[in-house]
Amino acid sequence: MTSRLARTTTIAAAGAALCLGLSPASASAEVRPDHWDNGYIAYANTRYAQTDSALGAFAAVGVEWTGYKVSLSGTVWDRAADGYSVRMEVGYNWQNGSTWEWTTRIFGKAEGGNGDSKSSSAHSKTGVNVKDLKVRACTVNSSNKVVKCSAWA
């Protein structure tokens, strides 16, 4: 019979290993930073971002902001209907203490590769400062690996 101390030590070690394995080394589009809540909020300033409409993946997003608070509402389309899925990504700088760090987030995915679209809306969480927001559309394969992305708009 295993002693209680040995079981506790084994469980603690397994938990620590699991936590270390799940910690992202850096933020990427695959890791969704916890800077956003679902839903749209109207702010005073408006910008419209649209990616290259000649590509198979196309995104159009309305960006509104006041100070460092940002709200997004947009759609990504699979114009090629070539069997690849498409996704919309946002890239932005967020304030981490006294420094600004660049990160990306998947904002919406149209899966299936048959000309589908996906509309999404989100706003930055209270206390999260965001600036320099950009949008791009990407074509991805069945393993969610990027085939091609538009330039940042």
Side-chain angles (χ1 to χ4, degrees), residues 65-117:
W65 72 94
T66 296
Y68 295 119
K69 298 183 289 187
V70 177
S71 186
L72 311 168
S73 181
T75 303
V76 62
W77 289 272
D78 177 4
R79 288 195 161 170
D82 55 5
Y84 290 122
S85 296
V86 298
R87 73 182 183 203
M88 179 173 25
E89 296 180 359
V90 293
Y92 56 93
N93 285 301
W94 66 282
Q95 192 170 22
N96 186 4
S98 62
T99 62
W100 289 91
E101 295 183 22
W102 174 259
T103 191
T104 58
R105 177 188 189 265
I106 297 170
F107 182 49
K109 290 167 83 172
E111 300 178 295
N114 298 316
D116 302 323
S117 65

Side-chain angles (χ1 to χ4, degrees), residues 83-87 109 138-142 144-147:
Y84 290 122
S85 296
V86 298
R87 73 182 183 203
K109 290 167 83 172
C138 299
T139 300
V140 295
N141 64 21
S142 60
N144 276 330
K145 299 295 179 198
V146 171
V147 175

